[in-house]
Amino acid sequence: MIDQSTFLECRCGKCRLTVCDPLMRYRLECLCFDCRQRQLISASKHSDNRLPIDVANYNRGVDEYYFANGFLVEQSSREQLIFSKLRDDAFNTTAMSACCGTLMCGTHPVYEGASVSVNADSCHVGTSFVMPTQVILFGCDFPQDKYVEIKKRAQAPLSFSVYDELNSDPMIDFLKAVTEPLAKVYKHSGYVTFETLSEQAEIQIDNAYFDESRSGKD
Ligand SMILES: [Zn+2]
Ligand SMILES: [Zn+2]
């Protein structure tokens, strides 16, 4: 029997992706401008999508989970997915639910097509195992005084400027975890990847809330 215990579900319940490999691969806290911008865009789509108060106030970053890139998706959920990038040259592609503006999952070239990231502050993630946060990324994008506070309470290693620290231990662990191909045992009949889901779709460019997402740094 297929294990369907791990799933990604939008806030209104119309869109649901069953994750083929139920085990979370990685978890990190992201302080970057773009994660904040995506959350602000999501918040603008529905009144229930406000940023968590701690995120809004820069007391923490976004809670990101990583799962293998393989899903079982019913047609009705598939029809709810819209795909976007913040800018033409942006690395991330995001799947959002049309019904309620939930950030369902996203990809980045460094995952090599093997994983998706999930904003667990936006998307409802059903899973039986949640690992502790492994690393806190992009301190460079956070207000300086707030970053000092995060450093004081941090239970995980911090990275100030990720692209300068790709050879650090946490980044090596991260890249190893997220580039692991989907195991054969989880390639269920009819499974789809993020790329399968997005291949027919137009990738929209939505750079709304660019200034707002960066205003805390001034
Ligand atoms: Zn929904
Ligand atoms: Zn981020």
Side-chain angles (χ1 to χ4, degrees):
M1 212 178 92
I2 294 174
D3 180 346
Q4 301 197 30
S5 61
T6 294
F7 60 87
L8 315 178
E9 193 175 68
C10 74
R11 292 178 166 217
C12 79
K14 282 200 181 118
C15 183
R16 181 181 170 116
L17 314 180
T18 299
V19 182
C20 294
D21 178 350
L23 202 61
M24 181 180 293
R25 296 183 144 188
Y26 202 81
R27 181 183 179 190
L28 62 80
E29 180 179 336
C30 192
L31 310 178
C32 88
F33 290 142
D34 287 354
C35 281
R36 191 172 187 86
Q37 187 179 355
R38 281 185 284 272
Q39 277 203 313
L40 290 168
I41 291 171
S42 171
S44 74
K45 306 287 185 192
H46 198 282
S47 58
D48 288 344
N49 294 359
R50 276 188 295 270
L51 274 60
I53 192 81
D54 281 345
V55 175
N57 293 337
Y58 293 95
N59 294 323
R60 69 166 174 90
V62 168
D63 196 6
E64 292 279 349
Y65 296 176
Y66 290 81
F67 294 101
N69 183 11
F71 308 98
L72 296 173
V73 190
E74 291 190 10
Q75 187 59 26
S76 59
S77 289
R78 197 165 172 159
E79 287 166 2
Q80 293 296 338
L81 294 171
I82 45 180
F83 296 87
S84 62
K85 294 169 81 161
L86 294 174
R87 295 167 291 280
D88 262 324
D89 60 353
F91 289 122
N92 283 88
T93 305
T94 304
M96 182 187 270
S97 70
C99 42
C100 59
T102 298
L103 300 168
M104 298 298 294
C105 58
T107 55
H108 187 289
V110 301
Y111 315 155
E112 298 177 357
S115 294
V116 295
S117 59
V118 180
N119 177 332
D121 290 322
S122 177
C123 188
H124 170 56
V125 181
T127 193
S128 54
F129 164 73
V130 177
M131 69 166 65
T133 299
Q134 302 294 302
V135 66
I136 303 171
L137 299 185
F138 288 107
C140 55
D141 284 2
F142 230 51
Q144 202 178 357
D145 56 330
K146 293 292 188 177
Y147 186 59
V148 170
E149 291 302 314
I150 285 187
K151 266 180 158 168
K152 281 188 206 159
R153 60 96 175 141
Q155 304 282 319
L158 289 104
S159 177
F160 188 75
S161 173
V162 172
Y163 294 109
D164 295 338
E165 298 169 22
L166 285 175
N167 294 317
S168 67
D169 285 344
M171 291 316 295
I172 289 167
D173 291 347
F174 169 67
L175 292 171
K176 184 169 185 296
V178 299
T179 57
E180 181 73 31
L182 180 67
K184 209 174 161 196
V185 58
Y186 295 122
K187 291 184 176 176
H188 305 312
S189 169
Y191 90 97
V192 292
T193 63
F194 188 98
E195 290 70 27
T196 325
L197 292 167
S198 62
E199 70 190 354
Q200 304 290 342
E202 178 202 354
I203 310 286
Q204 301 172 7
I205 303 296
D206 184 355
N207 200 25
Y209 297 91
F210 179 87
D211 290 338
E212 292 86 342
S213 62
R214 281 131 175 98
S215 62
K217 185 73 185 166
D218 300 339

